[in-house]
């Protein structure tokens, strides 16, 4: 009888919870049309979400810019539309207009943060037509105005349909803190929940209950009765509940990522009318400017990596599981920190950092990059040059900062909010605007979350009195910022937010690629420095091409380069494998990385999961080879799709590459069923693998996706000559006091580098160099220019030299491909005011 009563209670609880809130992921069954004719009846293709305009995408520096439309039918019942119904989007780049049954329900501008659209007033019983008009056009008033990534449009993260009571807990409406943990030195702490409620009615017997649990075991339950007043000006009512002190909480850290859950239930009388569950952790941080970073009271020098979100074929439209794999790969090689470059990453990414024990530097998209500072392109100044755009731009940056903090604030892995990356890449006369923007953002971050510091990322320029690194609580220095005298033991806590920047095609060298940190053994750390992060974890698409895009220690297809194995050996103490060698190919091996690191044997079909397939070339004895013949993956039977459709072919000479005997790609499905995939290559024994996709509609061959042949997108301006130098990294053999190397590339004619020997400019891109312009007081025969792609082997260039008003213009007789430009002076104490390189991106 006791078991029957318990079962009956569970059924009642499930029924009450189900009636309270229903959340359904609706990634499957969409149609997409490129262009801005959303009313057309033809030209629509069947797609699933997440989705990118650029699908299939393989690191092209160019991408379609314009509009795309999405549509889907959503069935609602009379019961549904009597409640509150909303669409939740995790990310759309970058402007979304949402229409329901032909009427505009709402919009959102900002490409990296989620949002919700209330569709209750527009919903009807039966089929509801949802249309989303999306564009990725550059906008002067929207952050970011520039960046080195690519900016493809699309609904590239999850979409959910939410039905709940008209009186409910707000979207991401629960804020969780542990206010007494640090003061008690981790021995105990209360838990404080601040809960936003919407739609409260007068004279209703509302109450709130919070339950704190760990591993399914309830630790604390606390209730609070409400006597609400009508919300003021439409704002939510806020209820604050603080638990009794919890003794000896299991602390969260990279080595022990202990997690708790807080379930919030809203009651009307005895009926549950809404319920949410949040994950959180007990931990505290201390940042110091002279002793480094402390986690839970213990010194912790973090070693991390920068990570962009896009992956081979799918571009930015990756699944939650693909994001989780990225976190696991960085954890596996021994890193304990990730910088989310250079925008808020998905909620799933933050979730996995919580689970794996990865400190997460979550960053707002106030972002700049090198290149021409001209509005209309993604190299435009970080801050507007037009006064009429300033107020709206500032509102955009602050809005996205607020959304980032609201969405991600309960994640224990997030240990700092970053305001920016390299915002000094801005137009003439706008640096004061950059400083004002950073101050506004720091103040806003403090207001929204007093428990975390606000960092200024990529703060290594300007130098001298115009510095921006001291505006925030923490400074992050990229590249040569690790070595610049101004930034040694600064007056705020500091990190090396980027080092390395080593371009390599897999397999690459078995080496760490310390880059700037190798110049003074900075890789060993400094007593006052909090940590360091390599640039970068994964190859990624870049508007500057492959030289910048291939700086990852893992390639775009998520196969490790040898540098990844170096870090795994050094940090995780796992020896590297035997490297493949050239031989006689005989067979293929096909492997699958299933969700949750293989713990799950099935793959969901709701667009949140996929499977990573890896093909390896073997000899007759089963030994891995470096030979790279063309290989094709084909879906023989069952549901599924690759970025290119039902098959994909890898070739070492194409963008869809097989290298060093291996190829890989993620595959997904939107129908349930068993799938057989075959790997084949002419003259080799093929390999097969069976996969199990679960959930959703049953597979029908008529639902097979159409082929999506890969054609590299090429923009019209590919041969445009651009200028490089200003604010790019510079290195000198020596520098006179007060005249560091950076002053030769700061865009100012009243500052200069002076020293003995020479100076090297790192354009951070592969360019076809046309000319070098020097502003200097040296003689025409007193300098020499050399070029390099790797900063190791330099060669002279054939050129002619023209005298200018304040220096020299060195024109190359034949354009030369390079990244580094070294100027060596034969006489001491030469003044180099500016160095500028002009060329075409490769």
């Amino acid at each position: 009888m006791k078991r029957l009563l318990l079962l009956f209670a569970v059924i009642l609880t499930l029924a009450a919870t189900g009636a309270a809130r229903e959340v359904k992921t609706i990634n499957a069954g969409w149609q997409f049309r490129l262009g801005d004719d959303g009313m057309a009846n033809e030209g629509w293709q069947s797609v699933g979400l997440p989705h990118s305009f650029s699908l299939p995408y393989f690191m092209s520096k160019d991408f379609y810019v314009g509009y795309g439309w999405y549509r889907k039918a959503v069935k609602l019942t009379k019961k549904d539309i009597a409640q509150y119904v909303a669409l939740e989007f995790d990310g759309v780049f970058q402007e979304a207009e949402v229409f329901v049954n032909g009427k505009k329900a709402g919009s959102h501008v900002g490409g990296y943060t989620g949002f919700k659209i209330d569709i209750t007033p527009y919903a009807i019983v039966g089929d509801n037509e949802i249309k989303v008009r999306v564009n990725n056009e550059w906008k002067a008033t929207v952050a970011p105005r520039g960046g080195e990534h690519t900016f493809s449009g699309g609904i590239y993260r999850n979409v959910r349909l939410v039905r709940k009571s008209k009186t409910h807990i707000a979207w991401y409406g629960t804020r969780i803190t542990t206010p007494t943990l640090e003061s008690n030195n981790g021995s105990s702490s209360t838990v404080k929940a601040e809960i936003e409620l919407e739609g409260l009615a007068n004279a209703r017997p509302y109450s709130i209950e919070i339950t704190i649990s760990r591993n399914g075991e309830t630790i604390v339950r606390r209730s609070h009765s409400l006597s609400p007043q009508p919300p003021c000006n439409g704002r939510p009512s806020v209820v604050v509940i603080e638990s009794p002190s919890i003794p000896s909480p299991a602390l969260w850290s990279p080595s022990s990522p202990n997690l708790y859950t807080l379930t919030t239930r809203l009651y009307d009388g005895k009926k549950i009318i809404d319920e949410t569950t949040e994950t959180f952790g007990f931990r505290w941080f201390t940042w110091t400017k002279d002793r480094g970073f402390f986690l839970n009271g213990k010194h912790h020098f973090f070693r991390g990596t920068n990570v962009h979100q896009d992956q081979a074929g799918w571009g930015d439209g990756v699944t939650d599981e693909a994001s989780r794999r990225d976190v696991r790969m960085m954890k596996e090689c021994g890193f304990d920190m990730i910088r989310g470059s250079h925008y808020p990453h998905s909620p799933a990414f933050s979730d996995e950092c919580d689970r794996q024990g990865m400190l997460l530097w979550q960053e707002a998209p106030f972002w700049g990059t090198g290149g021409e500072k001209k509005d209309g392109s993604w190299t435009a100044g970080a801050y507007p040059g037009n006064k009429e755009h300033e107020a709206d731009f500032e509102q955009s940056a602050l809005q996205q900062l607020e959304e980032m903090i609201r969405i991600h604030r309960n994640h224990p892995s997030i240990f700092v909010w970053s305001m920016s990356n390299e915002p000094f890449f801005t137009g003439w006369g706008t640096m004061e605007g950059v400083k004002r923007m950073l101050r506004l953002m720091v103040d806003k971050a403090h207001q929204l979350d007093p428990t975390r510091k606000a960092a200024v990322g990529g703060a290594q320029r300007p130098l001298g009195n115009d510095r921006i690194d001291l505006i925030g609580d923490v400074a992050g220095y990229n590249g040569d910022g690790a070595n610049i005298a101004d930034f040694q033991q600064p007056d705020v806590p500091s990190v090396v937010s980027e080092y390395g920047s080593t371009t390599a095609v897999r397999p690459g060298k078995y080496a760490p690629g310390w880059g700037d940190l190798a110049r003074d053994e900075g890789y060993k750390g400094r007593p006052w420095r909090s940590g360091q992060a390599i640039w970068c974890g994964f190859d990624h698409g870049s508007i500057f091409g492959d030289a910048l895009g291939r700086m990852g220690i893992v390639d775009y297809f998520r196969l490790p380069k040898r540098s990844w194995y170096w870090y795994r050996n050094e940090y995780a103490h796992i020896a590297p494998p035997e490297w493949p060698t050239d031989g006689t190919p005989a067979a293929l091996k096909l492997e699958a990385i299933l969700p949750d690191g293989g713990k799950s044997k099935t793959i969901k079909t709701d667009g949140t999961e996929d499977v990573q397939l890896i093909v390896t070339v073997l000899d007759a004895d089963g030994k891995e080879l470096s030979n790279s013949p063309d290989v094709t993956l084909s879906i023989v039977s069952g549901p599924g799709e690759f970025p290119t459709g039902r098959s994909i072919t890898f070739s070492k000479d194409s963008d869809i590459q097989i290298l060093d005997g291996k190829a890989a790609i993620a595959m997904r499905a939107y129908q349930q069923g068993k799938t057989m995939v075959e790997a084949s290559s002419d003259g080799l024994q093929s390999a097969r693998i069976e996969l199990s996709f679960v959930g959703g509609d049953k597979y029908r061959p008529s639902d097979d996706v159409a082929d999506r042949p890969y054609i590299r997108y090429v923009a019209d301006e590919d041969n445009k000559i651009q200028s490089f130098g200003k604010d790019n990294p510079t290195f000198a053999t020596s520098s006179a006091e007060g005249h560091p190397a950076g002053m030769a590339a700061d865009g100012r004619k009243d500052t200069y580098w002076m020293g003995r020997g020479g100076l090297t400019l790192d354009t951070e891109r592969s360019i076809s160099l046309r000319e070098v312009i020097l502003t200097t007081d040296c003689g025409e025969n007193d300098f020499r220019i050399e070029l390099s792609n790797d900063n190791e082997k330099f060669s002279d260039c054939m050129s002619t030299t023209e005298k200018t008003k304040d220096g020299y213009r060195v024109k190359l007789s034949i354009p030369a491909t390079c990244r580094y430009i070294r100027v060596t002076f034969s006489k001491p104490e030469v003044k180099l005011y500016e160095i500028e390189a002009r060329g075409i991106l490769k």
Side-chain angles (χ1 to χ4, degrees):
M1 177 60 70
K2 186 175 181 180
R3 288 185 62 188
L4 286 173
L5 288 173
L6 179 60
L7 178 60
F8 182 64
V10 169
I11 292 172
L12 283 178
T13 301
L14 290 173
T17 303
R21 176 183 289 229
E22 181 180 310
V23 180
K24 182 180 180 182
T25 302
I26 56 169
N27 289 339
W30 288 80
Q31 291 185 312
F32 171 70
R33 193 179 196 279
L34 195 64
D36 198 23
D37 189 358
M39 300 300 109
N41 292 320
E42 298 180 349
W44 294 85
Q45 56 179 296
S46 296
V47 300
L49 307 182
H51 178 266
S52 167
F53 285 3
S54 297
L55 180 72
Y57 175 80
F58 293 93
M59 290 186 69
S60 167
K61 66 184 180 67
D62 302 317
F63 49 92
Y64 168 84
V65 176
Y67 283 81
W69 282 78
Y70 295 83
R71 69 183 185 186
K72 178 182 175 64
V74 173
K75 190 177 291 294
L76 296 173
T77 66
K78 184 177 181 180
K79 179 181 178 182
D80 292 333
I81 66 171
Q83 297 191 299
Y84 176 92
V85 186
L87 295 171
E88 293 182 352
F89 295 80
D90 283 342
V92 179
F93 197 90
Q94 86 170 340
E95 181 173 5
E97 300 168 83
V98 180
F99 300 85
V100 180
N101 298 321
K103 297 179 181 179
K104 188 172 180 178
S107 62
H108 181 265
V109 180
Y112 302 105
T113 47
F115 58 97
K116 69 169 177 66
I117 302 292
D118 177 7
I119 68 170
T120 311
Y122 314 99
I124 61 174
V125 175
D127 285 337
N128 290 256
E129 184 185 55
I130 309 297
K131 281 189 174 181
V132 186
R133 184 182 186 228
V134 178
N135 80 76
N136 64 328
E137 293 183 336
W138 183 92
K139 288 182 173 59
T141 57
V142 177
R145 290 168 43 91
E148 87 289 342
H149 200 219
T150 52
F151 300 93
S152 295
I155 306 179
Y156 72 98
R157 291 180 183 163
N158 301 324
V159 179
R160 292 175 297 276
L161 178 68
V162 179
R163 176 189 55 75
K164 55 189 175 182
S165 167
K166 291 192 175 183
T167 303
H168 54 261
I169 300 161
W171 176 74
Y172 287 104
T174 301
R175 177 174 180 263
I176 305 168
T177 54
T178 53
T180 60
L181 183 67
E182 182 175 2
S183 61
N184 292 333
N185 200 31
S187 63
S188 64
S189 181
T190 60
V191 175
K192 184 178 180 181
E194 298 168 64
I195 305 152
E196 295 179 14
L197 302 176
E198 295 178 330
L200 294 177
N202 286 326
R204 298 297 305 172
Y206 295 123
S207 62
I208 284 277
E209 177 188 78
I210 64 168
T211 303
I212 299 168
S213 59
R214 178 168 180 250
N215 298 328
E217 181 180 344
T218 298
I219 297 170
V220 169
R221 181 175 282 117
R222 189 88 166 188
S223 297
H224 181 78
S225 296
L226 308 182
S227 300
Q229 297 296 318
C232 180
N233 297 323
R235 295 180 180 178
S237 298
V238 179
V239 177
V240 179
I241 303 178
E242 191 161 349
S243 76
S245 188
I246 297 173
S248 304
L251 302 182
W252 184 97
S253 72
S255 59
S256 300
N258 296 299
L259 296 174
Y260 289 73
T261 58
L262 186 146
T263 300
T264 305
R265 293 187 178 94
L266 173 62
Y267 289 84
D268 184 348
K270 295 183 178 181
K271 180 184 178 182
I272 300 174
I273 58 172
D274 200 12
E275 179 178 332
T276 62
T277 298
E278 299 275 349
T279 301
F280 74 101
F282 290 87
R283 83 286 179 268
W284 78 95
F285 314 120
T286 306
W287 295 83
T288 72
K289 65 180 182 180
D290 54 353
R291 295 177 295 123
F293 175 74
F294 292 77
L295 173 61
N296 299 331
K298 299 178 181 178
H299 184 263
H300 185 95
F301 185 87
F302 51 83
R303 295 177 172 87
T305 176
N306 287 258
V307 170
H308 271 305
Q309 65 189 2
D310 55 314
Q311 299 189 14
W314 304 102
D316 293 313
V318 298
T319 66
D320 289 352
E321 178 57 28
S323 296
R324 291 190 285 260
R325 277 197 305 273
D326 278 358
V327 176
R328 292 196 297 266
M329 283 195 78
M330 295 298 100
K331 183 71 173 184
E332 183 183 345
C333 73
F335 292 126
D336 59 9
M337 173 267 191
I338 287 176
R339 181 186 182 202
S341 312
H342 295 295
Y343 41 79
H345 283 233
S346 69
F349 193 92
S350 297
D351 286 341
E352 194 65 14
C353 287
D354 293 344
R355 292 180 60 202
Q356 296 297 327
M358 291 290 270
L359 294 165
L360 178 57
W361 171 297
Q362 193 74 283
E363 195 152 81
F366 182 30
W367 189 3
T369 192
E372 186 178 14
K373 295 294 166 270
K374 180 181 178 182
D375 280 9
S377 75
W378 293 103
T379 63
Y383 190 86
N386 187 329
K387 291 284 186 184
E388 294 180 358
H389 296 153
E390 290 182 357
D392 286 344
F393 175 79
E394 290 179 1
Q395 191 278 331
S396 168
L398 291 171
Q399 167 209 313
Q400 292 181 72
L401 172 68
E402 183 169 356
E403 289 168 341
M404 174 181 76
I405 292 175
R406 182 180 185 87
I407 292 166
H408 297 277
R409 59 191 171 185
N410 292 330
H411 290 280
S413 57
I414 296 176
F415 70 127
V416 68
W417 302 116
S418 175
M419 307 297 100
S420 63
N421 181 63
E422 299 184 343
F424 55 79
F425 280 117
T426 193
W428 291 107
T430 63
M431 187 52 69
E432 288 306 313
V434 169
K435 293 179 183 178
R436 182 174 65 252
M437 184 77 261
L438 289 172
R439 292 189 187 101
L440 288 170
M441 294 178 76
V442 168
D443 289 346
K444 174 65 79 171
H446 289 163
Q447 171 195 337
L448 295 171
D449 184 6
T451 71
R452 292 181 178 93
K453 300 295 186 184
V456 177
Q460 69 276 9
R461 297 290 190 285
L463 306 177
N465 295 330
D466 288 332
R467 291 166 60 172
I468 61 174
D469 60 314
L470 305 181
I471 291 176
D473 308 312
V474 178
Y477 304 114
N478 298 349
D480 62 346
N483 311 106
I484 293 173
D486 281 1
F487 308 131
Q488 304 306 300
Q489 198 161 355
D491 204 33
V492 293
S494 63
V495 309
V496 175
S497 42
E498 293 178 18
Y499 72 86
S501 298
T502 302
T503 301
V505 176
R506 187 170 57 83
K509 296 180 180 179
Y510 184 70
W514 292 121
D516 315 298
L517 287 182
R519 298 180 187 281
D520 56 3
E521 295 189 331
Y523 60 86
K524 295 181 179 179
R526 298 283 187 264
W528 42 268
R529 188 172 281 166
S530 294
Q532 59 200 32
I534 192 172
W535 184 268
C536 56
F538 302 94
D539 289 354
H540 59 88
S542 171
I543 61 172
F544 296 116
D546 285 358
L548 197 148
R550 292 186 185 271
M551 292 180 178
I553 61 172
V554 176
D555 80 0
Y556 201 46
F557 297 83
R558 274 28 187 189
L559 291 171
K561 301 178 188 179
R562 291 184 182 175
S563 51
W564 182 88
Y565 290 105
W566 187 95
Y567 279 100
R568 191 178 69 162
N569 181 56
E570 181 72 12
Y571 291 164
H573 311 298
I574 300 173
E578 180 181 349
W579 306 131
T581 57
D582 187 66
T584 303
L588 299 175
K589 178 173 66 174
L590 181 56
E591 301 170 279
I593 301 177
L594 292 166
D596 202 13
K599 294 178 183 177
S600 174
K601 302 306 177 186
T602 58
I603 309 114
K604 293 179 182 178
T605 62
D606 62 359
T608 64
E609 292 188 348
D610 61 10
V611 57
Q612 181 82 344
L613 298 177
I614 302 173
V615 186
T616 306
V617 179
L618 307 175
D619 67 10
D621 296 323
K623 182 180 179 181
E624 295 188 4
L625 300 179
S626 60
N627 303 65
S628 299
D630 289 0
V631 170
T632 297
L633 283 176
S634 303
I635 299 173
V636 177
S637 62
E641 61 186 82
F642 299 107
T644 50
R646 296 278 289 180
S647 67
I648 186 168
T649 297
F650 303 88
S651 177
K652 62 182 178 181
D653 296 322
S654 78
D655 290 348
I656 308 175
Q657 291 184 308
I658 176 171
L659 296 170
D660 205 35
K662 280 186 182 291
I665 199 70
M667 174 193 163
R668 62 179 72 161
Y670 294 95
Q671 298 89 30
Q672 62 174 291
K674 299 287 186 181
T675 298
M676 183 65 68
V677 180
E678 180 179 67
S680 61
S681 181
D682 287 348
L684 305 186
Q685 181 180 335
S686 61
R688 288 190 172 194
I689 194 167
E690 187 179 70
L691 304 169
S692 180
F693 291 95
V694 296
D697 297 332
K698 289 185 177 180
Y699 167 69
R700 298 177 303 177
S702 60
D703 294 327
D704 284 348
V705 66
D707 288 339
R708 293 187 286 254
Y710 172 65
I711 301 173
R712 186 179 180 90
Y713 191 89
V714 178
D716 295 334
E717 297 185 351
D718 260 12
N719 294 320
K720 181 180 178 182
I721 293 178
Q722 300 185 45
S723 177
F724 304 94
K726 183 179 181 297
D727 292 325
N728 281 127
T730 51
F731 312 100
T733 51
S734 68
S735 297
E737 185 175 352
H739 301 286
M743 287 186 172
D746 61 1
R748 296 175 55 175
K749 298 296 178 67
D750 59 341
T751 62
Y752 55 86
W753 167 77
M754 186 168 66
R756 293 178 179 270
L759 176 142
T760 300
L761 171 70
D762 179 5
T763 68
E764 297 187 299
R765 295 132 179 87
S766 178
I767 63 174
S768 177
L769 184 67
R770 298 306 202 261
E771 61 183 20
V772 179
I773 301 171
L774 303 177
T775 304
T776 179
D777 64 354
C778 76
E780 183 173 346
N781 299 315
D782 295 340
F783 67 89
R784 174 188 181 189
I785 292 181
E786 300 168 283
L787 310 177
S788 174
N789 286 307
D790 59 7
N791 205 26
E792 295 178 0
K793 297 178 182 178
F794 282 83
S795 59
D796 292 314
C797 59
M798 296 178 61
S799 61
T800 58
T801 302
E802 297 179 2
K803 186 75 175 72
T804 63
K805 178 182 177 181
D806 48 11
Y808 302 93
R809 183 185 301 271
V810 181
K811 292 187 174 181
L812 275 67
S813 304
I814 302 174
T817 299
C818 68
R819 171 179 166 181
Y820 300 91
I821 301 165
R822 183 166 70 189
V823 186
T824 306
F825 297 96
S826 57
K827 293 185 177 181
E829 307 305 318
V830 168
K831 296 177 181 178
L832 180 60
Y833 291 84
E834 286 296 309
I835 178 172
E836 177 186 354
R838 293 181 60 79
I840 297 172
L841 281 169
K842 295 290 287 183

